[in-house]
Amino acid sequence: MDGEQDSRRPGLSRRAALAGMVAAAAGAPAAAQTSGEGLAAIAARAGILFGASVARDIDEDAAYRQLYREETRQITTDWALKFDALRPDGERIRFEHADRLRGFAEDNGLAFRGHTLIWNENAPDWVRKKSTAELGRLFDSHIEDVAGRYAGQVAIWDVVNEPFWPDHGKPGGYRDGPWLQALGKGYVAAAFRRVASIDGKARLALNEAHTEHGDRLAAMIRPLLLRQIDELLDAGVPLHAVGLQGHLDSRLPADDKRFADFLREIARRKIEIHITELDVNDRRYPDAVAERDRQVAARYASFLKEVLAVPEVRVVTCWQLSDRYSWYADPDVRRKLLDGRAARPLPFDDRMRRKPVWQAMARAFSERRVTG
Ligand code: XIL
């Protein structure tokens, strides 16, 4: 498929574009793995661009900032480019934090992933009071303002986040929210078309939650996402990648082989696959730290073994790097999703020390065996 132009989407070869990004981000040609090598260098040898989300923490924590330099070749804005972070109280946009993260990415040769232009979950109250016509205008102007400011500087945009949530009871299983209410399901295609008209360089991704689980909701969302992908591609919408978040969860059933089969279904559409928010909710694992760390590492190993066997998987991103700054450390999230117990979801502990997860990820990247 390398270099192949798809009749529905003439233009830059998708695989070549990202392959170039992976190769460039990997820096020097593959060298023998050394103990000091970071995850991104190991991943790059397996054709994977490895990164992690970042928030305001790296502004304040020099050790954490250094960890990103050593371990990643890509950063994702966790908070800075979300609608509610940019426009908390009205039309004025607060770009300061996103500008700093973009500068950090540029200064350190990291691919910059923008998360996320349109998401029905995080609209502030002042947005929900707008009329349908005002929402339509705000939808367009928000994309123009934000994608326009960073045109040519964003490697990958999560253009639309989490389009589906069947339990909202909306037609087609779409996630409810102001953009769906104002524009209908067509808001997805409209967002992609508008970003593409502003930034012809960024790779454009549709990012979805929950499909990585083996439960009822995942079984409902997967076919909905495949149909959405087909509708976008058949309409000639510039969709380059699908992001699957990968918030693994010890409280939910899992079937990594079936998830990999789902990835192969996506791959048949000739678009890249990105794991975009990898971490593990370890709530059902034992309290004892050594055993809990072992089970979290085993969860990463099982998931990555199946996922990395799919050749179209080209990006793996953790949702932060250190337990100290995981979203699970947020008191509200900890109370809601962990019954109040501190989580250990990531490759580094709260003192930036490598955990068994780090070794499991390094091994999964090093031992990647692509099948079919
Ligand atoms: C999370 C942030 O990390 C938290 O700090 C915030 O409180 C809630 O949102 N899926 C997504 C991310 O796509 O944007 C969410 O990020 C986590 C779930």
Side-chain angles (χ1 to χ4, degrees):
M1 194 192 75
D2 271 2
E4 179 179 329
Q5 306 292 329
D6 185 287
S7 55
R8 295 177 292 189
R9 294 187 309 292
L12 189 61
S13 148
R14 298 166 300 285
R15 171 66 68 83
L18 196 80
M21 195 191 301
V22 172
Q33 180 178 333
T34 64
S35 61
E37 208 171 28
L39 285 172
I42 300 168
R45 281 201 292 277
I48 293 292
L49 177 62
F50 174 73
S53 68
V54 288
R56 286 162 283 193
D57 326 296
I58 69 164
D59 291 341
E60 294 133 21
D61 185 335
Y64 200 37
R65 221 171 19 252
Q66 184 56 25
L67 200 62
Y68 279 83
R69 293 191 185 100
E70 293 165 0
E71 296 291 334
T72 72
R73 293 287 183 273
Q74 173 256 321
I75 58 171
T76 298
T77 57
D78 173 344
W79 178 81
L81 284 173
K82 284 176 178 169
F83 190 102
D84 53 344
L86 289 168
R87 285 186 151 109
D89 45 27
E91 302 296 336
R92 187 177 79 81
I93 303 185
R94 303 177 182 192
F95 284 116
E96 302 79 22
H97 181 49
D99 287 352
R100 279 202 306 279
L101 291 181
R102 193 209 56 77
F104 177 76
E106 185 178 29
D107 295 348
N108 292 283
L110 307 178
F112 186 56
R113 187 178 190 121
H115 176 82
T116 175
L117 287 165
I118 296 295
W119 185 21
N120 274 297
E121 277 303 318
N122 67 334
D125 288 343
W126 66 267
V127 170
R128 298 176 188 278
K129 294 171 184 159
K130 293 276 184 183
S131 69
T132 296
E134 287 168 332
L135 280 171
R137 287 192 293 275
L138 179 60
F139 177 92
D140 291 345
S141 64
H142 181 71
I143 293 173
E144 285 157 11
D145 292 343
V146 181
R149 183 184 184 88
Y150 299 108
Q153 304 165 59
V154 174
I156 308 168
W157 267 115
D158 286 338
V159 176
V160 169
N161 196 34
E162 302 184 350
F164 295 105
W165 196 250
D167 283 359
H168 283 166
K170 306 306 284 182
Y174 281 88
R175 181 178 294 270
D176 196 10
W179 311 122
L180 180 74
Q181 289 162 19
L183 301 169
K185 58 176 271 192
Y187 85 90
V188 179
F192 276 84
R193 292 189 193 281
R194 190 159 295 275
V195 182
S197 70
I198 297 159
D199 185 344
K201 192 176 167 197
R203 324 295 299 136
L204 306 182
L206 178 62
N207 196 50
E208 185 57 282
H210 210 89
T211 61
E212 57 274 3
H213 304 304
D215 67 348
R216 168 189 68 88
L217 264 176
M220 293 174 77
I221 294 171
R222 290 177 184 173
L224 296 174
L225 185 58
L226 289 173
R227 187 175 63 191
Q228 177 69 76
I229 292 166
D230 288 338
E231 287 175 2
L232 292 171
L233 297 180
D234 291 346
V237 171
L239 171 69
H240 306 126
V242 170
L244 303 158
Q245 292 181 6
H247 287 296
L248 307 179
D249 195 323
S250 60
R251 303 169 301 164
L252 295 175
D255 183 334
D256 295 331
K257 288 188 186 302
R258 285 192 67 178
F259 179 63
D261 291 342
F262 169 61
L263 299 189
R264 288 187 173 87
E265 281 293 313
I266 295 173
R268 266 195 273 283
R269 276 81 174 166
K270 299 187 176 63
I271 44 179
E272 296 148 16
I273 298 167
H274 301 172
I275 303 300
T276 52
E277 306 185 16
L278 185 58
D279 58 14
V280 172
N281 179 325
D282 59 359
R283 182 63 193 87
R284 288 288 175 272
Y285 296 155
D287 289 337
V289 165
E291 178 55 19
R292 180 140 45 109
D293 282 356
R294 192 192 65 74
Q295 293 192 24
V296 171
R299 186 71 196 90
Y300 272 83
S302 164
F303 179 77
L304 287 173
K305 178 175 183 289
E306 297 301 332
V307 161
L308 294 176
V310 180
E312 286 73 11
V313 173
R314 307 305 305 272
V315 176
V316 172
T317 303
C318 283
W319 205 241
Q320 294 279 352
L321 273 179
S322 160
D323 297 343
R324 179 189 297 178
Y325 297 116
S326 168
W327 68 308
Y328 287 122
D330 176 283
D332 289 341
V333 176
R334 179 167 162 176
R335 187 170 40 257
K336 196 173 118 187
L337 302 182
L338 293 144
D339 304 325
R341 188 178 80 170
R344 297 177 62 84
L346 290 166
F348 290 85
D349 69 13
D350 59 359
R351 292 168 58 191
M352 311 304 155
R353 295 173 303 189
R354 287 178 180 178
K355 293 161 60 192
V357 166
W358 191 98
Q359 280 75 26
M361 294 186 80
R363 187 174 305 115
F365 290 139
S366 302
E367 296 174 359
R368 182 183 196 184
R369 295 292 174 270
V370 167
T371 54

